Amino acid sequence: MKKIITTVLAAMLTISLSAQEKKGIQLPAWINNVKLSGYGMVQYQGMDKENAHENSFNLRLVRLALEGRIQQDWFWKAQMQINGNTYDPDKSKTDIRLVDLFAEWQKYKFFMVKAGQFKRPFTFENPMHPITQGFMSYSQPISKLAGFSDRTGEHGSNGRDLGLQIQGDFLKNKAGRELLHYQIGVFNGEGINQKDKDNKKDIIGGIWVMPVKGMRIGAFGWTGTRYMNNESVRKNRYAISADYQQNDWTFRAEYVHNQGFAANKDKGDKADGWYALCIAPVIKQKMHVKARYDCYRDQKTWDSSKTFYEIGADYLFNKNVQINVEYARVNDRTLAGKHNYNLVDVELDFRF
């Protein structure tokens, strides 16, 4: 039925546009600025965890996006995700979700206003594109404490929420480069495609300095609630971040701290995590080697820690197609048996 409806709507739109052209009706100018884009991430992953060996092909992400401008000052974007639902225990289910739908007033670079559904302004890594982020997944602190597979039990939201945000860059140096960035927003606190369930909003913001070209040093804060088990549970988080990207080199490190109960209150109200990574060019803009140390403590104790020691490489066939290979030695102290296991990940990523 969905296919039939989609086909009919597409045919109607085509006929309508054709009729308008024949009648000499001029379409709005902004339609000419609409851009269709997308990307896919095809993954193979295998691991030898004790009593839980796995190896499987997977569609990590498939996305389609429309974006454009209405006049010069307004930018808008709508993005759909279509793939296996990695947040559902039954991973065979197909997940089709609207991940982005927002408009942003961009007349002034020092004061821009965004409204709709978009990335939460928390940490450097969360807003990054999944391909240019550089590794087989976002780091654990980001995944657990920024709204992917969040510790609170919030449904998988890819780091996004519904709300309103202001942001901007200012304080130019002699070379014309801004030295300071700020961003702050108010959000429902329930994740994507959800109304506010307790009428209490999350406040999330960050500020960073850019002392030299390619470098950012920042701090982020997040205070709000999560409605679960018929009550509003307080959550407070902060992050300290630094990154440097220049001449095809990337260095990035972040620490994230959480105070607020998990979906399972037996886990307590504290958690934290950190990561540090380096991506180095072998052939500039063509091939890289990389390494990441990624640790998350679900109860802010070493007994609740899970750590990835990762090495890998990528090769770009062109600007739109690349292959990535990674090996990780994993130490998971929450496992009842053997804590250490090996993981291999291979991905083919493409854009269009």
Side-chain angles (χ1 to χ4, degrees), residues 217-243:
I217 302 171
F220 301 84
W222 179 347
T223 185
T225 60
R226 165 71 173 144
Y227 190 73
M228 55 187 183
N229 301 322
N230 298 317
E231 65 174 321
S232 295
V233 180
R234 172 62 59 181
K235 60 182 174 185
N236 295 299
R237 295 172 177 174
Y238 69 82
I240 306 297
S241 309
D243 75 355

Side-chain angles (χ1 to χ4, degrees), residues 116-127:
Q117 182 166 285
F118 49 90
K119 284 282 192 176
R120 287 163 164 146
F122 188 70
T123 75
F124 284 157
E125 186 167 284
N126 180 34

Side-chain angles (χ1 to χ4, degrees), residues 80-132:
M80 297 291 297
Q81 177 173 303
I82 310 167
N83 66 307
N85 187 354
T86 56
Y87 299 104
D88 196 290
D90 180 3
K91 295 183 181 180
S92 64
K93 291 183 180 180
T94 300
D95 176 35
I96 301 175
R97 63 174 69 182
L98 177 69
V99 290
D100 286 302
L101 181 62
F102 66 84
E104 185 172 35
W105 183 61
Q106 299 180 338
K107 184 172 183 177
Y108 303 107
K109 194 172 182 181
F110 62 86
F111 183 80
M112 297 184 288
V113 183
K114 182 188 291 187
Q117 182 166 285
F118 49 90
K119 284 282 192 176
R120 287 163 164 146
F122 188 70
T123 75
F124 284 157
E125 186 167 284
N126 180 34
M128 290 183 177
H129 192 286
I131 295 178
T132 55

Side-chain angles (χ1 to χ4, degrees), residues 183-208:
Q183 54 189 34
I184 187 168
V186 55
F187 300 88
N188 280 344
E190 302 294 339
I192 61 173
N193 307 319
Q194 299 285 317
K195 288 186 176 181
D196 197 336
K197 296 178 181 178
D198 62 0
N199 296 318
K200 298 177 181 179
K201 300 297 182 285
D202 285 10
I203 307 297
I204 309 173
I207 188 169
W208 61 78

